[in-house]
Amino acid sequence: MSDFDITKKIKEFAFTNSNMIKGEPKGIVLRLRGLTLDIPLLELVREGRRYAKEQMLFIYPYTAPWSWMNDETVELIDTVLEVYCGDRTIPIVAYGHSLGGYGAITYSVKGKYPISACVAVCPICDLTYHSTEHSGTLVSMYYAYRHNKGTLEDIMFRQSPINFVSDLPYIPYLVIYCMKDKQVNSEKHVVPFIEKCIRFGLNVITIAEEGAHCELSSETESEIFHFICENGIKE
């Protein structure tokens, strides 16, 4: 579809709080979606209003649920950011839960725009293991990466954050996991990822929650908000 220009229909491809901000934004919150659950519009509006009070632009690209972070998804996010960033230098914090956490980590490496900080909640960090963790995940990876070169096993290995920690930028990371998580086993995903990050000297703050997948306390939700504002606002 070479004749289709996403930039002219940008509101169809991303939710933003641009109409809630007066003047130039001081930073951007790039919120990335999960695999099976989209974020309800009312929640997006609430988040948008909260960050608008801090003069931060909140962007939620409408990526396909089975696209993971394939080249087309990264290109869409790049295009959305291009519309709202242009040539300006502005802090961008990548943020997501589960697959969105995977996306936040991965976009920090693959994206066109430099990320200032990253928040990953219960992120998928080992695609090879995750392909055996739930029915349906393997087929989603197949459809996401079927045009990539190599075997699916090789692609899952290369696309796993635990295998590209050495490529991650030296920025602040807030990584959160839940000890009763039965959807993304923290011992197979987040814990080894954190250990590798520490070995490579990355600046990682970790929080361990007691609950199930992405069940966060109000204190942790507050920590996320303050971390994003602290690392994502240009004074």
Side-chain angles (χ1 to χ4, degrees):
M1 274 184 274
S2 57
D3 62 334
F4 188 82
D5 187 354
I6 290 176
T7 62
K8 295 180 179 179
K9 297 282 186 178
I10 198 65
K11 292 183 179 179
E12 301 293 329
F13 287 86
F15 170 88
T16 78
N17 65 347
S18 58
N19 63 334
M20 306 177 193
I21 296 178
K22 296 179 180 179
E24 292 292 318
K26 295 182 178 180
I28 291 176
V29 184
L30 175 64
R31 185 74 148 88
L32 299 171
R33 65 162 294 153
L35 180 62
T36 56
L37 292 176
D38 204 356
I39 302 176
L41 179 59
L42 287 177
E43 184 177 336
L44 290 174
V45 171
R46 282 195 294 268
E47 280 201 73
R49 285 175 179 164
R50 191 179 190 193
Y51 286 108
K53 291 178 181 178
E54 306 298 326
Q55 203 67 14
M56 295 189 76
L57 182 63
F58 179 84
I59 300 176
Y60 179 72
Y62 296 140
T63 55
W66 277 18
S67 62
W68 288 75
M69 284 297 285
N70 60 15
D71 293 342
E72 291 80 6
T73 301
V74 173
E75 183 180 356
L76 172 62
I77 297 169
D78 286 344
T79 301
V80 171
L81 288 175
E82 183 178 352
V83 170
Y84 291 100
C85 292
D87 296 327
R88 293 179 298 172
T89 300
I90 185 169
I92 303 171
V93 179
Y95 167 39
H97 293 208
S98 194
L99 176 67
Y102 164 80
I105 295 169
T106 305
Y107 189 80
S108 299
V109 173
K110 297 176 69 173
K112 173 183 175 181
Y113 288 86
I115 297 300
S116 303
C118 175
V119 180
V121 180
C122 299
I124 297 162
C125 297
D126 186 340
L127 273 65
T128 304
Y129 180 80
H130 196 59
S131 69
T132 67
E133 209 165 11
H134 301 287
S135 61
T137 53
L138 182 63
V139 68
S140 71
M141 294 175 197
Y142 168 78
Y143 279 110
Y145 296 112
R146 67 190 184 278
H147 298 304
N148 290 44
K149 293 182 179 179
T151 66
L152 184 56
E153 289 76 14
D154 290 340
I155 293 167
M156 289 190 293
F157 181 89
R158 294 196 305 268
Q159 298 290 337
S160 296
I162 61 169
N163 296 321
F164 59 72
V165 170
S166 61
D167 296 328
L168 291 174
Y170 283 83
I171 58 174
Y173 295 86
L174 176 59
V175 182
I176 300 164
Y177 64 96
C178 297
M179 290 184 282
K180 295 179 182 177
D181 195 337
K182 294 183 179 180
Q183 296 186 47
V184 179
N185 186 326
S186 59
E187 294 299 321
K188 299 293 185 179
H189 292 273
V190 187
V191 173
F193 172 74
I194 291 170
E195 290 173 348
K196 281 194 174 184
C197 287
I198 293 171
R199 287 206 301 271
F200 277 91
L202 295 175
N203 178 13
V204 182
I205 299 171
T206 63
I207 298 175
E209 284 277 14
E210 294 286 344
H213 187 61
C214 294
E215 286 187 358
L216 305 181
S217 64
S218 57
E219 291 81 3
T220 296
E221 293 281 8
S222 181
E223 284 286 337
I224 292 171
F225 179 74
H226 289 300
F227 178 88
I228 289 174
C229 293
E230 181 180 352
N231 293 284
I233 294 178
K234 181 179 180 181
E235 298 297 342

